[in-house]
Amino acid sequence: MTKKRLLTGLQSSGTLHIGNYFGALKPFVDTYEEYDSFLMVADYHALTSLRDPKALHANIINVVKDYLAVGVDPSKCVIFRQSDNQDHMELGWVLNCMVTVPFLMQAHSYKDKVAKGMDANAGLFTYPILQAADIALYDTDVVPVGEDQRQHIEYAREAVGKFNRAYGDILKEPAEKIIDGVGVVPGTDGAKMSKSYGNTIPLFGTKDEIEKAVMSIVTDSSGERPENVYAIHRLLKSAEELDPIYETHKGRYGDLKKMLAADLETFIAPMREKRNAITDEDVKAVLADGVARAKAVSNKTILNVRQAIGIAL
Ligand code: ATP
Ligand code: MG
């Protein structure tokens, strides 16, 4: 049986933390081989919010290193860059001509970002349609997303549907696959661990950085055990392993944190080592190979689209 095709986009907006790992990277690593998987670095999407060439350049390299370090094998999925394949811009334009401005104005993410003070540039406004093109170019069946991104897949379906109603069944309508994550990993202050909250345990941090972050976890003495410490510990060990330890170390929060820091170090050290061994040149080679494989699929789609809309002479 042929595998279904999966496409996911990578955005690197900062240093990854263990919440990102357990909520997004690990679920991907655990399932991507069941699909014909495409991993796209969404660097042109990043231009909607980032106007710092050095940062954009570094982000592109870093996000690929992160995924390789956590175990994604580039021979088992296509890792490529959006900007390396001009088909994305071309289909993005065509699909932009399918949807209306009032339809785009309903996008939650656009409204939220502008409400937070982000520049309301036209790229940000039409972003969901470039994303629709990213998906449709590869005859994508499933797009793994968090619950918050469900609307984007609906947008892709709408744009593709309008195209198909006008020109025949040319593009595939994607379905979303809501990821079963681990729920929300708490940060050192007990709120959701988030890059932008300064409450993270860095995924590729040094031993000292991890220890420092763990020692700063807020504990509250009202319960039987330090819940935030325990919740993070449970990502690494089972309740059967942990419960007796937490029982015998009741009230000794410092000791429990030291054990958590040691367990995190054991878990992270091999990935950190692997990441340190990946060079920028390795990343460029992976992306060069990836875009050739990506174009082998997308060039066919674009030819069909050109035929259908009447511009192929
Ligand atoms: P920001 O503060 O910029 O929103 P973030 O830390 O929330 O950053 P995102 O880039 O928004 O990270 O999310 C990347 C992925 O990691 C998403 O799939 C998201 O669901 C997941 N993720 C982020 N934070 C957590 C968390 N605390 N627990 C579990 N999953 C998380
Ligand atoms: Mg977030």
Side-chain angles (χ1 to χ4, degrees):
M1 213 184 77
T2 52
K3 289 179 179 176
K4 286 198 168 179
R5 181 157 297 147
L6 176 150
L7 180 133
T8 193
L10 312 179
Q11 282 261 27
S12 174
S13 53
T15 310
L16 294 183
H17 52 74
I18 62 166
N20 298 135
Y21 176 78
F22 287 101
L25 279 78
K26 185 173 186 296
F28 179 79
V29 171
D30 289 346
T31 55
Y32 79 103
E33 288 180 60
E34 292 165 28
Y35 298 90
D36 178 18
S37 289
F38 282 59
L39 259 180
M40 181 191 77
V41 180
D43 52 356
Y44 262 138
H45 279 299
L47 200 59
T48 61
S49 61
L50 191 60
R51 227 163 270 170
D52 175 345
K54 275 200 185 120
L56 182 55
H57 186 268
N59 285 350
I60 292 165
I61 301 286
N62 282 332
V63 71
V64 176
K65 285 187 180 176
D66 293 340
Y67 270 76
L68 295 176
V70 299
V72 178
D73 178 344
S75 71
K76 292 181 180 156
C77 75
V78 178
I79 304 179
F80 73 104
R81 219 153 63 108
Q82 187 183 37
S83 65
D84 278 332
N85 184 354
Q86 280 65 45
D87 293 347
H88 292 255
M89 295 304 120
E90 188 169 345
L91 186 59
W93 173 256
V94 172
L95 293 182
N96 262 320
C97 297
M98 299 296 119
V99 298
T100 67
V101 169
F103 171 71
L104 288 177
M105 278 165 64
Q106 292 161 29
H108 307 310
S109 68
Y110 176 75
K111 286 189 280 197
D112 291 350
K113 285 176 177 169
V114 173
K116 278 192 196 143
M118 258 175 80
D119 182 37
N121 63 69
L124 185 67
F125 187 61
T126 60
Y127 171 118
I129 303 306
L130 181 55
Q131 191 173 41
D134 301 334
I135 295 166
L137 275 174
Y138 300 96
D139 296 331
T140 304
D141 297 298
V142 293
V143 185
V145 292
E147 185 62 51
D148 52 323
Q149 284 171 49
R150 198 190 275 269
Q151 193 191 32
H152 280 164
I153 312 306
E154 279 162 17
Y155 269 56
R157 271 202 294 268
E158 172 74 11
V160 164
K162 278 203 154 165
F163 181 92
N164 285 347
R165 282 193 290 284
Y167 297 108
D169 249 345
I170 309 284
L171 300 173
K172 182 173 260 180
E173 287 194 23
E176 78 272 19
K177 174 179 184 281
I178 302 298
I179 308 172
D180 303 322
V182 285
V184 175
V185 176
T188 52
D189 58 358
K192 181 191 107 79
M193 190 177 288
S194 289
K195 282 173 234 145
S196 49
Y197 296 171
N199 63 353
T200 66
I201 298 175
L203 178 60
F204 297 110
T206 62
K207 188 167 183 279
D208 285 352
E209 283 165 349
I210 292 167
E211 234 167 56
K212 200 168 160 234
V214 170
M215 295 321 278
S216 78
I217 296 174
V218 172
T219 46
D220 128 23
S221 50
S222 61
E224 280 290 292
R225 61 185 179 210
E227 292 300 339
N228 296 328
V229 179
Y230 183 81
I232 296 171
H233 223 156
R234 275 286 286 109
L235 299 167
L236 306 169
K237 287 189 160 159
S238 68
E240 292 76 47
E241 284 172 283
L242 290 179
D243 289 355
I245 299 171
Y246 276 71
E247 188 58 39
T248 51
H249 289 77
K250 233 182 213 169
R252 287 154 58 192
Y253 296 163
D255 290 345
L256 290 168
K257 285 179 178 178
K258 277 186 193 139
M259 284 184 237
L260 171 59
D263 287 341
L264 275 169
E265 175 60 18
T266 305
F267 171 73
I268 288 174
M271 292 197 288
R272 187 173 53 216
E273 242 168 70
K274 194 166 172 194
R275 194 181 188 286
N276 288 341
I278 303 168
T279 65
D280 291 10
E281 295 312 311
D282 295 335
V283 169
K284 288 177 196 168
V286 165
L287 292 174
D289 173 62
V291 76
R293 289 153 72 199
K295 281 183 177 171
V297 179
S298 70
N299 287 353
K300 285 189 197 138
T301 311
I302 265 304
L303 279 182
N304 289 339
V305 166
R306 287 173 160 220
Q307 286 280 358
I309 63 178
I311 59 167
L313 296 181

